Amino acid sequence: MDQSHIRNFSIIAHIDHGKSTLADRILELTHTVEAREMRAQLLDSMDLERERGITIKAQAVRVFFTAKDGETYQLHLIDTPGHVDFTYEVSRSLAACEGALLVVDAAQGVEAQTVANTYLAVDAGLELIPCLNKIDLPGAEPERVAGEVSDLIGEPPESILKISGKTGEGVGEVLEELIARVPPPAGDPDGPPRALIFDSEFDQYRGVIAYIRVVDGVFRKGEPIRAMATGTEAEIDDLGFFSPQMMPTDQLAAGEVGYLITGLKDVTLLRVGDTLTTHAKAGGTAARNHPGEAKEPLPGYREVKPMVFCGLFPIDSDDYPDLRDALEKLVLNDAALSWEPETSDALGFGFRCGFLGLLHMDIVKERLEREYDLELLATMPSVEFDVTLTNREEIEVHNPSDMPDPGTIEEIREPFITASVIAPKEFVGAVMGLCQERRGEHTGMHYLSPERVQMTYELPLAEIVLDFFDQLKSRTKGYASLDYEISGMKPSDLVKLDVLLAGDTVDALSMVVHRDKAYEMGRTLTEKLRKRIPRQQYDVPIQAAIGAHVIARETVKAFRKDVIAGCYGGDITRKKKLLEKQREGKKRMKQVGRVEVPQEAFLAVLELGEE
């Protein structure tokens, strides 16, 4: 199709503001999906996405719409994830578009991820079309929310479209506005072919399926291709578009969105954000007519780095090979997941896994348990630390138990984030109190409306990975919303806190904390463990230590067997002899005895933030 009749657009919104429901109405209105095949959240294909009401993987669909001018337009809708963990994927999806629908809940108003995704779209140079969704709700306040959106993007409040993704009201006007305001693609149809990979998935029969937006030139079946960042070379086995099922076609031209199958079996070879180009084989007419290989890749590509790390251990140690197989299969679909084997004295064999964030970690754990029938125990999430040693060597530490000896450390750096919190004005004090408890540094504050405030803080990532979001929601009665982005590594006064049971270090309970919080954390942790560790025949000391310095201690008291119960009166020396014998036995038992750590004890670490 002629590029002037193509429109590529995305839908951006905060979680639960009706993005996937609006996509459903667009599919219905354009008759892309027959009524008998229609279901809610049609583009969310995973069970987890449908249950939680969130989009985890980007989806692309091609629809045809006949506008009021009588012309038929080819629209490509790219449905993006909404969560902060997947910001890079969102940025690549936006790079594949020329316009975006900014959807805001008319009852809830502008929230943190609305602001963050709007800035991403503005940076990408997209034409923004704001829409107020859910205007059919009794609690909708379209005038107030239109004012907030107007302040955010500078659009006059009266020109903001009012729609209902549930009833379909106003969706036709949205598509008309889209065709009028979003510019058509501006690529060179005859130039060297270039395409942006904005997502990829793995099919066990066909290999890697790359979702692409063709920017310049034409891609045809059977042509050899090359990924410009990774250098991967392959041949196009098949290509086509989504409608929303896969529809094969012979070629994809400049401006079009679709998929490309190469038969490659490793999803890391075709990374999100990479640029594909074709290269002509030596000799032959095809090579002479070939427009050549692209020299410049499309901008914006970067390697996705895991930010949060935790250990995954099977509860039944016999499941270790099954967990390895499950991770191998899952990583085929999810290039952002990293894993390596790990051994713990307390938990046995498992894997140290790296994730984009807490939601990503939660989803991976749930998929492993559900799809591969495993029972898993996750250790406390931690972040990556950069350590400079006294001999100037620099190392990366993903696991607290790998932290080097304190005497050899010159400096420890940890990742910091710029967090944006939006909340009603009456909760400003509660939000500020929470951020200051978590070593936050206040960097800005402004009112989005007379009732809602946006606060910006610099926070260490380690302070928010555990329970920051839960605390934020509970202190603001659920009204606050959070968005953050990584701002870089900064030096901090951090120490490794070890837990010793009967003098032995339990590696799975080690953590890296700020020196000012070490005593409080150590005391809380030893108290919680005292309640969880079963009593033995001898006293079990539980100690929290920084290096060789013990900062907190609790004792699990021994069972006391009454050995003198059988002495009815008689000489005191008889009782002393029995008690002495018992004391000797306990001493011997203490030397050879080993304290078994129950699984619940590891959950005590995760409950630290609940106090």
Side-chain angles (χ1 to χ4, degrees):
M1 185 176 266
D2 176 30
Q3 282 199 68
S4 63
H5 284 68
I6 295 175
R7 299 288 185 276
N8 296 321
F9 72 100
S10 180
I11 305 178
I12 55 177
H14 189 77
I15 293 167
D16 211 25
H17 277 207
K19 197 167 37 158
S20 298
T21 311
L22 176 58
D24 289 347
R25 296 295 80 77
I26 290 171
L27 292 176
E28 273 183 357
L29 184 71
T30 56
H31 307 293
T32 306
V33 179
E34 291 188 30
R36 67 169 186 269
E37 293 174 1
M38 198 63 207
R39 59 175 186 171
Q41 294 169 293
L42 185 80
L43 294 182
D44 291 344
S45 50
M46 284 165 55
D47 289 342
L48 262 175
E49 290 180 309
R50 304 177 66 76
E51 278 173 29
R52 293 184 178 213
I54 55 174
T55 302
I56 295 167
K57 276 195 81 63
Q59 301 289 339
V61 63
R62 178 185 289 191
V63 301
F64 291 94
F65 178 66
T66 304
K68 286 178 181 169
D69 61 8
E71 299 282 332
T72 299
Y73 292 87
Q74 183 175 302
L75 309 179
H76 294 124
L77 158 61
I78 298 171
D79 188 19
T80 58
H83 197 274
V84 60
D85 284 5
F86 308 111
T87 304
Y88 177 63
E89 282 89 332
V90 174
S91 75
R92 294 302 84 212
S93 298
L94 295 179
C97 305
E98 280 78 34
L101 296 180
L102 174 64
V103 178
V104 181
D105 188 323
Q108 306 221 0
V110 169
E111 300 207 42
Q113 276 162 262
T114 316
V115 177
N117 287 345
T118 301
Y119 289 158
L120 277 177
V122 170
D123 290 346
L126 269 59
E127 176 68 39
L128 276 177
I129 299 174
C131 313
L132 296 188
N133 193 17
K134 306 189 185 182
I135 56 163
D136 55 315
L137 288 180
E141 300 174 73
E143 286 75 25
R144 174 182 71 82
V145 178
E148 288 184 11
V149 177
S150 174
D151 289 344
L152 177 65
I153 61 170
E155 191 99 3
E158 57 279 1
S159 69
I160 295 170
L161 300 170
K162 296 174 177 62
I163 63 168
S164 168
K166 188 176 174 184
T167 63
E169 182 186 341
V171 177
E173 287 77 31
V174 169
L175 294 180
E176 290 288 349
E177 192 81 1
L178 200 83
I179 287 162
R181 287 175 56 181
V182 173
D188 179 1
D190 303 316
R194 288 195 303 173
L196 171 76
I197 303 175
F198 63 87
D199 201 6
S200 63
E201 63 171 304
F202 181 79
D203 182 285
Q204 61 176 343
Y205 301 112
R206 309 183 76 181
V208 179
I209 300 171
Y211 293 24
I212 61 166
R213 151 75 201 270
V214 183
V215 178
D216 300 318
V218 180
F219 285 82
R220 296 181 181 84
K221 212 168 170 176
E223 282 186 334
I225 57 164
R226 186 171 72 82
M228 297 179 83
T230 56
T232 306
E233 295 194 357
E235 205 167 273
I236 302 175
D237 285 352
D238 197 7
L239 79 174
F241 57 91
F242 298 94
S243 185
Q245 291 82 24
M246 288 184 171
M247 309 289 281
T249 182
D250 288 332
Q251 65 176 48
L252 284 176
E256 295 190 316
V257 174
Y259 66 87
L260 181 147
I261 299 174
T262 55
L264 293 168
K265 299 296 182 192
D266 182 358
V267 81
T268 57
L269 296 174
L270 293 179
R271 288 190 171 273
V272 172
D274 206 344
T275 304
L276 291 180
T277 184
T278 59
H279 60 94
K281 291 172 180 172
T285 317
R288 285 196 296 276
N289 297 336
H290 195 273
E293 188 174 323
K295 301 289 183 285
E296 283 291 312
L298 297 163
Y301 172 75
R302 64 178 169 86
E303 288 273 343
V304 182
K305 273 186 74 176
M307 295 311 302
V308 175
F309 297 84
C310 90
L312 290 179
F313 293 86
I315 287 177
D316 181 354
S317 56
D318 293 344
D319 288 342
Y320 176 76
D322 297 340
L323 176 57
R324 176 189 282 276
D325 292 346
L327 280 167
E328 282 174 353
K329 287 175 185 166
L330 197 59
V331 87
L332 293 173
N333 273 309
D334 190 348
L337 172 66
S338 66
W339 55 278
E340 57 184 30
E342 180 184 30
T343 311
S344 161
D345 294 340
L347 299 172
F349 293 103
F351 295 94
R352 190 87 191 159
C353 301
F355 309 95
L356 296 174
L358 279 186
L359 177 78
H360 188 213
M361 178 181 115
D362 197 20
I363 285 164
V364 167
K365 183 171 179 279
E366 193 154 334
R367 285 186 70 184
L368 287 169
E369 291 185 329
R370 189 180 292 196
E371 295 173 22
Y372 301 98
D373 199 23
L374 295 164
E375 280 190 77
L376 300 176
L377 181 83
T379 61
M380 183 179 180
S382 67
V383 299
E384 175 186 272
F385 299 100
D386 286 352
V387 180
T388 304
L389 302 177
T390 46
N391 63 2
R392 311 312 297 163
E393 186 188 342
E394 298 207 351
I395 57 171
E396 287 182 359
V397 175
H398 298 155
N399 188 346
S401 59
D402 294 339
M403 191 62 82
D405 183 81
T408 65
I409 295 174
E410 178 85 21
E411 183 184 71
I412 303 177
R413 292 175 302 284
E414 62 176 332
F416 271 68
I417 59 159
T418 302
S420 164
V421 180
I422 295 179
K425 65 179 181 185
E426 61 265 30
F427 298 116
V428 168
V431 172
M432 285 184 155
L434 175 64
C435 291
Q436 275 156 3
E437 282 170 27
R438 302 302 175 96
R439 300 192 279 133
E441 188 181 313
H442 188 246
T443 56
M445 172 174 170
H446 78 275
Y447 280 77
L448 297 171
S449 72
E451 296 300 315
R452 289 159 68 78
V453 189
Q454 179 179 11
M455 287 162 276
T456 316
Y457 270 88
E458 282 279 313
L459 282 156
L461 180 62
E463 294 284 350
I464 72 157
V465 294
L466 202 54
D467 67 327
F468 182 83
F469 189 66
D470 297 344
Q471 287 285 332
L472 182 67
K473 285 290 187 189
S474 63
R475 293 190 192 193
T476 59
K477 299 182 181 173
Y479 283 110
S481 58
L482 168 75
D483 190 88
Y484 63 86
E485 59 182 36
I486 302 295
S487 59
M489 307 291 278
K490 293 185 184 175
S492 292
D493 187 10
L494 301 171
V495 291
K496 179 187 169 193
L497 185 67
D498 283 320
V499 174
L500 290 84
L501 274 186
D504 294 330
T505 305
V506 183
D507 54 354
L509 294 176
S510 296
M511 62 179 84
V512 176
V513 295
H514 195 269
R515 194 180 294 276
D516 295 346
K517 291 189 166 191
Y519 171 69
E520 184 191 334
M521 292 280 271
R523 200 189 70 232
T524 311
L525 186 53
T526 50
E527 282 173 6
K528 281 188 171 288
L529 287 172
R530 180 174 59 78
K531 296 171 188 168
R532 304 289 178 95
I533 302 288
R535 291 170 72 186
Q536 311 291 324
Q537 294 286 352
Y538 50 90
D539 284 1
V540 178
I542 303 169
Q543 295 164 306
I546 298 170
H549 178 55
V550 175
I551 58 168
R553 171 181 168 136
E554 291 283 333
T555 306
V556 179
K557 285 295 182 189
F559 287 123
R560 184 174 181 276
K561 186 178 177 187
D562 195 352
V563 288
I564 57 174
C567 299
Y568 294 99
D571 191 1
I572 189 70
T573 55
R574 171 77 181 134
K575 293 179 182 176
K576 280 184 176 174
K577 189 177 174 186
L578 286 169
L579 289 168
E580 190 60 43
K581 192 175 176 187
Q582 184 187 37
R583 197 174 294 116
E584 289 296 324
K586 281 187 185 288
K587 198 184 289 181
R588 211 165 40 248
M589 199 185 289
K590 196 170 184 175
Q591 287 168 355
V592 297
R594 188 171 176 274
V595 183
E596 283 296 323
V597 185
Q599 303 283 9
E600 310 89 68
F602 297 101
L603 301 178
V605 183
L606 299 175
E607 291 167 11
L608 277 178
E610 292 177 9
E611 295 297 300

